Amino acid sequence: MLERDAMRWLQLTYKVPSEPSQKRVWVWRRLQNLGAFALQNSVYLLPYSEEVEKHFRQLAHDIREMGGEASIFFVMALDSADERRILQTLVEARTNEYNTVVKVCTRFLGKAAAVVETQNWHEQVHAEFAEVLEKVHVLFRTAKRHDMLGSLTASRRAAAAESLAVCEQIFRVLLDQEYTRARRLLEIHSDLLPDPANIEHGDAGSSLVGAPDDLQEPPPLHR
């Protein structure tokens, strides 16, 4: 996937006043939210797209408004190995975020299978399922916000979206305690379920929120 002809990149180079420090932090957070690659201090890269250009232009404008300096360049890598390394780093970071969504959804569906097995839907289970579903929505929105890579991450983005959609559907069915229908849905989407040995039958009420690392926003992308 990453073997390709030389591609165009956008490079944002900037300088902001040293004080107040909040300005530097604000710019840094904006770049992290774009999933940009830190080539050097205050030098960030992303593969070119109209969307990236729009975001970089807005950010450059904001930096100048706060009294700083910013420049945007089209660049191309002279060393294809460097380009592959940077692109691989970006793709892996975004893939890991989408994989986290799928992982949490897999746990969610495994617990749903346990609920169907025991037919033991109650308020605590309802609350825990609703909480995890809300948090996985946040994870997915965050992953998409960081993702400026288009077709390079399309398959993992689609897999995460599918997993989330199935979780939503199962949750709605369980709200009505339609266990037979829920079982059929789980059978249809059995490829999204965890290994049967890891499904805790008879323990449907155990906490779904017991994996805080999966529910946190990932650390920033470093060089």
Side-chain angles (χ1 to χ4, degrees):
M1 176 182 67
L2 301 182
E3 295 291 339
R4 53 177 63 233
D5 295 333
M7 60 187 292
R8 289 199 300 174
W9 294 75
L10 278 179
Q11 175 181 295
L12 174 67
T13 303
Y14 69 92
K15 180 179 180 180
V16 295
S18 58
E19 295 296 336
S21 61
Q22 291 92 326
K23 291 182 178 181
R24 294 197 310 276
V25 172
W26 183 86
V27 173
W28 180 83
R29 289 190 181 279
R30 284 284 299 275
L31 288 161
Q32 296 305 315
N33 282 338
L34 293 174
F37 182 88
L39 187 64
Q40 298 175 8
N41 288 338
S42 303
V43 181
Y44 283 79
L45 288 173
L46 275 172
Y48 170 77
S49 70
E50 291 183 357
E51 184 178 11
V52 170
E53 181 179 354
K54 179 186 72 175
H55 284 293
F56 271 13
R57 284 186 181 276
Q58 181 60 54
L59 183 52
H61 171 77
D62 294 338
I63 289 169
R64 295 181 190 117
E65 286 288 300
M66 65 175 63
E69 302 172 5
S71 301
I72 302 171
F73 299 94
F74 278 122
V75 297
M76 297 180 70
L78 295 180
D79 187 328
S80 60
D82 274 347
E83 179 171 84
R84 287 195 298 271
R85 174 181 57 82
I86 293 172
L87 198 54
Q88 185 70 48
T89 299
L90 289 169
V91 170
E92 286 180 355
R94 304 292 73 83
T95 297
N96 287 341
E97 290 187 82
Y98 289 127
N99 286 347
T100 295
V101 173
V102 173
K103 180 180 178 181
V104 178
C105 286
T106 294
R107 184 183 301 114
F108 182 102
L109 293 173
K111 293 293 186 177
V115 169
V116 170
E117 181 73 19
T118 62
Q119 300 191 10
N120 186 28
W121 183 263
H122 52 77
E123 285 303 314
Q124 181 182 348
V125 173
H126 178 178
E128 290 185 344
F129 272 58
E131 181 180 354
V132 171
L133 195 56
E134 179 181 353
K135 289 181 177 180
V136 79
H137 269 287
V138 172
L139 286 173
F140 184 60
R141 287 197 300 270
T142 299
K144 287 183 66 179
R145 186 176 70 244
H146 292 168
D147 187 5
M148 297 285 162
L149 301 179
S151 62
L152 293 174
T153 49
S155 62
R156 294 315 299 162
R157 183 166 59 248
E162 179 189 7
S163 296
L164 180 53
V166 172
C167 288
E168 291 175 327
Q169 190 176 16
I170 291 292
F171 181 67
R172 289 194 297 269
V173 172
L174 286 177
L175 282 176
D176 296 327
Q177 299 183 41
E178 297 181 16
Y179 299 116
T180 300
R181 185 182 172 201
R183 182 177 289 109
R184 286 200 301 268
L185 287 171
L186 288 168
E187 289 171 353
I188 291 170
H189 299 288
S190 60
D191 58 311
L192 300 178
L193 289 170
D195 186 284
N198 296 328
I199 297 177
E200 302 172 24
H201 295 291
D203 193 23
S206 62
S207 177
L208 263 170
V209 197
D213 290 344
D214 290 337
L215 298 175
Q216 298 296 321
E217 189 163 329
L221 178 65
H222 295 294
R223 186 177 176 212

